[in-house]
Structure formats: structure tokens, C-alpha cells
Amino acid sequence: MDLFDVSLDTLPSPFKLHQMKQSLKSKKVLIVEDQATMRKAIREMIYGFDMKLITEAANGSSAIAAMRKESFDIVLCDYNLGSGKNGQQVLEEARFRKLLPFYAVFIMVTAEQTQSMVLGAMDNKPDEYMTKPFNAEQLLNRIKRNISRKEYLGDIEKAIDSGNISLAIAQCDKKLLENNRLMHTHLLKLRAQLAIKIGDLKKATAIYQAVLEQSELNWATLGLGIIAYLQDDFSEAEAIFRKLIDDYPMMLEAFDWLAKTHEAQGDFAGAQNTLNEATALSPQAILRQQKLATMANMNGELTIAEKAYKTAIDLGKNSVHHSSGDFAGLAKIYSKTDAKSALKTLKDMRSLYFGNPEAELRAALLETEVFHQLADEESSVQAYQTAQKLSLELGNKAPTDLRLEMIKTSYLKGDDKAANKELEQLIKNHADDDHFMGDVRKVLNETGNAQQGEKLIARIKKELVEINNKGVDLFRQGNITEATQVFQKAATTMPENKTIMINMVKILLHDLKTNEVNKEKIQRIQTFINKASQFGVKKEKIEHLQAQLNNLSHKINSTASQE
């Protein structure tokens, strides 16, 4: 490992240094470094800045434990932490578990400058990235610069952190009027992102276009591509993302959005190729590897899928995004060519996910298939019975892909009654999800139930349209209570149906705007919004509803405080 230049000789003038030290004195610092001598060197450097509230962690797990215990203002994390989590995985998990407060500065440090490592580290967007060696002045300047930025944007970030997007927008607009030369462009970027969050695409477009008239900034071009995507103008979005990749070949966000655009157009081969290019540039991003594995498996590109699943499993050893689904996906590929490798992969999965019912169900379903292929019908039936029991225990807590796999296995075992019962519930809940319904039809085709399944889909969709129309008609006639009752009943029998959740929120918001307001009503709406988010309703559909609720809550609280 390269050595730091820990010299303090190049620090700023005594007066300036005194001012900096005073503002940093109360900051809590976490140093994450596996080498004891290096931790000591960094600690002494930090002490030199008069920051005494220092915690040290020798590995990634200790760093996460420290962040669970207390909130830090500054995290200085080395990328290479020996065995276990690396710096990228520490940042990834800290973000996922919300262990970094809105005011925290995360600085990634590394001695390596390989393309894959740099892009991997940047994928999670640390506040700062520093390469070794660096001196005390450089570190102090980076800390000071980021803390100043965080403090200036603190009101906005705090509002975003609490989910109050309307307040964040108000704070952002107020700061834009201050014409802070150093922060103006950053504020415009933030303001456009907030506009997208609440579905105000016109405002976001105007900001991005105004920025691009002044300067060719790639984030503004990316923003216009995202807006085209959200407006279902996929050809325009594709053109923008392709040009961005041509102009900025390391811009991984553009690859991700191009893959999403291909997928939205049904061009799964294009999505796979784009993800393949992105993972070649930055192979350490587990979520992108998982997406590539799924896409390649769906396209029948088993060699690519196998490689991506193996990479995801390896990365998952130290990642918060590890998944038993990666083992199941790899075992499924092996099941087509090498039954022994499939069973060994499932054994490895059971060992790692011991006592995890989802992992057990995935294993039991695959074993049902593999033992059948091996002509071991007794073991196959036994595995299917285990799967049935686990499926009942998990109920709708099981992921939809796993529930669909259970349906497929039930059909293949001749248990049509169980398959049809589960299928009807799944279709009721996901009839408005075209991608998922495509997966349903694929299973129906593979199991020889296409004709019967299409009749079921048509009947359920007709029932859903009738329920929706009845509720909307009552709403338009002003019968809010009856409309609410219609959607509430539908939400009870189809608790995962996204259209019903969103319509329910819209009606309850209207009721809140026009009738008596109380905390129970606000909480009820918040519960439906949380549920919609939990079941995967797109952010852009939720966030403007959340902003409306925040606005109404704010007005209610303001009125109450004046009385």
C-alpha cells in the first residue's frame, strides 16, 4: 500500500487555519483503514486539524457497526480494506441502511487508479474521491469544501431526507434567488431533480435547456434523456443516451438509462448488450451484474448469464444487495446441462442462507425440476411437497417471480387446482404490469396452459376495469365516500394492485383538500403511499402525490400553530 504524505508543512496561513479548525472542532470523524500504521498516520493528520472526536475501524464490518452506533460528520474510508467489504461496499451499505445523515461527508480514498476500481467507487457517488499520496493541506481543503457545501445545502437536504419535497423545492428556490456564484449551477441541478420527483417535467426541461444554452454539461443532457424516457418518448431518450455514451464513454448512468430504454421498448437484446458494456467498464457493481444475469438468462444467453450470476454471487459475499436469487438463477442454468452442479449450487445456497424461507423455497422448486430430470420421481415429489408448504407459509411475502415459479412447478406436477388459485391472485394484483404479464404468458405457454390462461386474464381484467370505472364514476359525481368504499374493498381483495393503490391515494387526497382534515386521514394516505412504494409503483408516480400530501400537512400544521 502506498504511503501518505502526512506533512503539515503546506497548511494554509495561521489565521485561515485557525478559522478552519474552529469550524471543524466539533465534527465527529470515522477513519476506515485496514493498516494500523496508516490509521495512525491519518489520525494524527486529523488531530492536526483540531478534530478530536475520532473513531477508527479496521475493516468494513466494523465501519458499518460504528455507523449503526452513532452518526458521523465525516467518514474517511479506504477503498481496499483487505478481506471482507471494500470501501465501495461500505458506502453502498451505509446508503442502503440510511446510516449516513444528510450532513455527512463521505470521502473515498485509494492508492489504486485502475479504470474498473475508479468507476466502481464513483458508481455510488461518494462526496469526494482522493488518491494517495495526499498531504494534510489537500485533505483539509477537501473536508472544508464538502462541509461548506453540505452546510449551505443543509435545509434542502434535510427536507429531502425527511421526504418533504415541497419544502425542499421552496428552500431551493429561495437559495437560487441569492445568486451564489459557486453554488448556482449545483442548485439548478438539484432543482431540476426535485421537479422530476414531483412530476413537473416542464419545469425540469426548462432548467436543463437553460443550462445547456450556457454550457454543454452532461448531467443536463442526461436529465433531458430521463424526461424523454418518463414521457414514453423512447426513440428520443435512446438517441440522447447513445450520444452521451459516445461523448462520455465512462458515464455509467447513461448506460443504465439506455438499458432501461431498450427494455421499455421490448428490445431485451439491446438492454443486455448495453448492460454487458457497462459491466465490462465497471464490474464491481452488484446490482448491474444481477440485472445483466436476469436479462441474459431471459434472452437465452446462458454463458453470459452464468458469468454474471457467478460475479454477483462473489460480490454478494460482502454486499448488502446479496440475494439467494443469484444462486437460484445459476442453479437453473446448470439444471439444463449439469444436474450435479445445479444441486451443488443449491447446497451452497442453503448453507449461506440457512433458515431463510425464501431461499428454501427457491431450492425446493429447483430440486423438484432437477430430480424429475434425473428420473428420481420420489425425491422430486418430496421436494414439491416441501415447496408447497413453504409457499403457504410465505404467502404474498414471497417475491412475485418466486410465486410465478411456484405456479409453473404446480402445473408441471399436474397440480392445476393449486396453480390456478395462485395465478388468479397474482393476475388480480399485477394485471396492470405489462412486463410481469409477459412473464405470466411465458409460463402459461411453457406449461401448455396458454388458452385457459388467456381466458382467465381476460375475465380478471374485465372485472378490474368495471371496479375502476365504478369508483371513478362515483368520484366524478361527487360521491367521495362511496368511491372510497369501492376502492377500499378492491384494495382489500387485491392488496398489491398498483392502479387501485394510486386511485385510492388520489381520492383520499381530494377528500383531504375539500372536507374535514384530521391526522387520521393524513396517516391513512401516507400508509397507502408507503405501500405503493413498497410494491414497486414508479417513483415519478408517487413523489408528486407525496408532495401534495406534504403541502397539505404543512398547511394544517401551520393553521394549528396559529390558533
Side-chain angles (χ1 to χ4, degrees):
M1 180 173 286
D2 293 348
L3 292 176
F4 281 102
D5 174 1
V6 296
S7 170
L8 298 177
D9 294 341
T10 50
L11 281 173
S13 66
F15 176 71
K16 193 174 177 183
L17 183 58
H18 175 74
Q19 283 185 311
M20 286 182 181
K21 286 180 175 179
Q22 286 303 307
S23 65
L24 295 175
K25 205 168 184 176
S26 62
K27 303 297 183 189
K28 289 194 285 187
V29 183
L30 174 63
I31 299 171
V32 190
E33 167 62 63
D34 61 322
Q35 300 293 322
T37 52
M38 297 308 300
R39 283 201 308 278
K40 183 172 181 290
I42 299 171
R43 185 178 64 236
E44 288 176 357
M45 193 184 290
I46 298 290
Y47 269 135
F49 305 154
D50 266 3
M51 289 191 279
K52 310 297 183 189
L53 305 175
I54 299 173
T55 300
E56 297 177 32
N59 55 56
S61 296
S62 298
I64 293 296
M67 284 189 269
R68 281 180 181 275
K69 194 174 176 183
E70 62 180 314
S71 298
F72 292 94
D73 300 284
I74 300 163
V75 179
L76 195 62
C77 183
D78 193 50
Y79 183 86
N80 290 315
L81 296 170
S83 59
K85 299 178 190 298
N86 60 32
Q88 178 184 347
Q89 290 165 330
V90 170
L91 176 55
E92 189 178 65
E93 184 162 349
R95 289 255 167 79
F96 180 80
R97 299 193 187 284
K98 300 185 184 303
L99 301 178
L100 289 170
F102 66 89
Y103 52 79
V105 174
F106 193 104
I107 300 177
M108 187 76 77
V109 179
T110 180
E112 289 185 31
Q113 296 186 51
T114 60
Q115 174 185 290
S116 63
M117 194 283 302
V118 172
L119 289 176
M122 298 305 289
D123 240 350
N124 285 291
K125 296 183 174 60
D127 294 294
E128 194 64 76
Y129 178 81
M130 294 188 74
T131 53
K132 301 174 185 175
F134 55 81
N135 60 37
E137 181 186 13
Q138 290 167 332
L139 177 59
L140 182 59
N141 284 337
R142 299 290 183 95
I143 289 174
K144 183 70 180 171
R145 182 174 70 192
N146 280 282
I147 284 185
S148 296
R149 179 175 57 83
K150 291 272 180 176
E151 287 177 350
Y152 184 76
L153 300 173
D155 292 342
I156 303 170
E157 297 292 351
K158 185 178 180 183
I160 294 173
D161 196 54
S162 66
N164 194 338
I165 304 302
S166 56
L167 178 59
I169 288 173
Q171 299 283 8
C172 197
D173 286 341
K174 185 179 172 185
K175 287 199 181 294
L176 278 167
L177 292 174
E178 294 172 3
N179 282 322
N180 183 314
R181 186 176 57 83
L182 291 176
M183 297 302 299
H184 193 71
T185 303
H186 187 83
L187 283 168
L188 286 173
K189 181 181 180 182
L190 194 52
R191 180 65 181 87
Q193 290 170 340
L194 290 169
I196 290 177
K197 276 181 181 290
I198 62 167
D200 188 355
L201 302 185
K202 191 175 175 182
K203 176 73 177 178
T205 301
I207 292 172
Y208 288 136
Q209 288 175 340
V211 168
L212 289 171
E213 283 175 10
Q214 299 297 316
S215 183
E216 194 66 28
L217 295 174
N218 59 9
W219 58 261
T221 306
L222 181 75
L224 289 178
I226 292 171
I227 289 170
Y229 174 89
L230 295 176
Q231 292 175 327
D232 294 340
D233 187 353
F234 299 125
S235 57
E236 174 67 9
E238 184 179 338
I240 291 173
F241 298 136
R242 278 192 184 285
K243 185 167 188 319
L244 269 175
I245 292 169
D246 288 342
D247 294 343
Y248 305 95
M250 304 296 164
M251 192 175 181
L252 293 169
E253 274 186 284
F255 282 93
D256 290 336
W257 278 102
L258 180 59
K260 286 177 71 171
T261 306
H262 282 310
E263 192 176 356
Q265 296 176 95
D267 179 7
F268 303 119
Q272 177 194 313
N273 290 336
T274 304
L275 289 165
N276 214 12
E277 289 179 52
T279 53
L281 288 170
S282 177
Q284 299 296 314
I286 184 171
L287 295 178
R288 196 176 290 120
Q289 290 284 1
Q290 289 171 336
K291 183 72 179 173
L292 172 61
T294 304
M295 194 62 66
N297 193 22
M298 190 174 73
N299 291 334
E301 297 277 3
L302 301 188
T303 303
I304 295 173
E306 180 183 346
K307 182 183 174 189
Y309 276 129
K310 283 181 174 177
T311 305
I313 288 170
D314 189 48
L315 292 171
K317 290 173 185 171
N318 297 301
S319 171
V320 71
H321 296 301
H322 66 87
S323 169
S324 61
D326 297 331
F327 284 88
L330 182 61
K332 197 168 185 61
I333 289 173
Y334 287 147
S335 72
K336 296 169 185 171
T337 55
D338 183 356
K340 285 185 178 176
S341 292
L343 292 173
K344 182 184 180 306
T345 304
L346 294 177
K347 185 180 177 184
D348 292 343
M349 178 173 79
R350 277 204 169 98
S351 172
L352 194 63
Y353 292 90
F354 180 74
N356 181 315
E358 182 184 320
E360 290 289 339
L361 178 54
R362 289 189 189 280
L365 286 170
L366 272 166
E367 283 170 346
T368 303
E369 185 179 334
V370 172
F371 284 129
H372 176 73
Q373 289 169 3
L374 293 170
D376 184 352
E377 204 53 38
E378 185 180 347
S379 296
S380 176
V381 169
Q382 194 174 12
Y384 178 62
Q385 289 170 344
T386 301
Q388 282 181 307
K389 185 182 173 191
L390 289 164
S391 179
L392 281 173
E393 287 174 6
L394 276 169
N396 60 10
K397 291 179 183 172
T400 51
D401 71 300
L402 192 51
R403 292 167 70 184
L404 195 54
E405 200 63 34
M406 183 71 216
I407 290 168
K408 180 181 174 182
T409 305
S410 295
Y411 276 134
L412 292 175
K413 298 303 287 184
D415 193 353
D416 289 8
K417 186 179 177 183
N420 289 335
K421 183 181 177 185
E422 180 67 3
L423 181 63
E424 179 161 349
Q425 192 59 38
L426 266 186
I427 294 173
K428 280 182 176 178
N429 281 309
H430 302 281
D432 50 0
D433 184 339
D434 291 339
H435 189 273
F436 180 72
M437 290 307 296
D439 291 341
V440 168
R441 288 189 166 93
K442 190 177 175 186
V443 166
L444 291 169
N445 280 326
E446 288 174 354
T447 56
N449 291 282
Q451 192 173 1
Q452 167 198 333
E454 284 302 331
K455 287 180 182 175
L456 182 64
I457 292 169
R459 175 174 66 77
I460 293 171
K461 282 195 169 184
K462 184 170 179 282
E463 290 173 5
L464 285 170
V465 168
E466 287 172 356
I467 291 170
N468 197 57
N469 287 347
K470 185 179 178 183
V472 172
D473 284 345
L474 287 166
F475 174 73
R476 285 174 177 162
Q477 292 164 17
N479 296 326
I480 306 301
T481 303
E482 290 180 45
T484 305
Q485 288 170 348
V486 168
F487 283 114
Q488 179 64 67
K489 186 179 176 184
T492 304
T493 55
M494 295 172 273
E496 300 167 51
N497 188 288
K498 300 181 184 76
T499 301
I500 288 172
M501 286 181 213
I502 292 298
N503 281 337
M504 191 72 186
V505 171
K506 287 177 179 175
I507 287 178
L508 292 174
L509 276 171
H510 178 83
D511 179 48
L512 200 62
K513 291 174 188 171
T514 55
N515 294 307
E516 181 190 356
V517 175
N518 57 52
K519 288 184 180 177
E520 287 74 23
K521 285 185 178 179
I522 292 173
Q523 186 55 51
R524 190 180 181 198
I525 298 170
Q526 189 63 64
T527 300
F528 272 103
I529 290 177
N530 292 345
K531 195 173 170 185
S533 177
Q534 178 192 343
F535 282 99
V537 175
K538 289 181 179 177
K539 275 187 176 182
E540 55 270 19
K541 283 190 175 180
I542 297 174
E543 288 177 333
H544 76 283
L545 297 173
Q546 182 69 63
Q548 288 182 48
L549 181 62
N550 291 340
N551 264 336
L552 290 166
S553 301
H554 181 66
K555 286 178 184 175
I556 293 163
N557 292 333
S558 299
T559 304
S561 63
Q562 291 169 5
E563 291 175 352

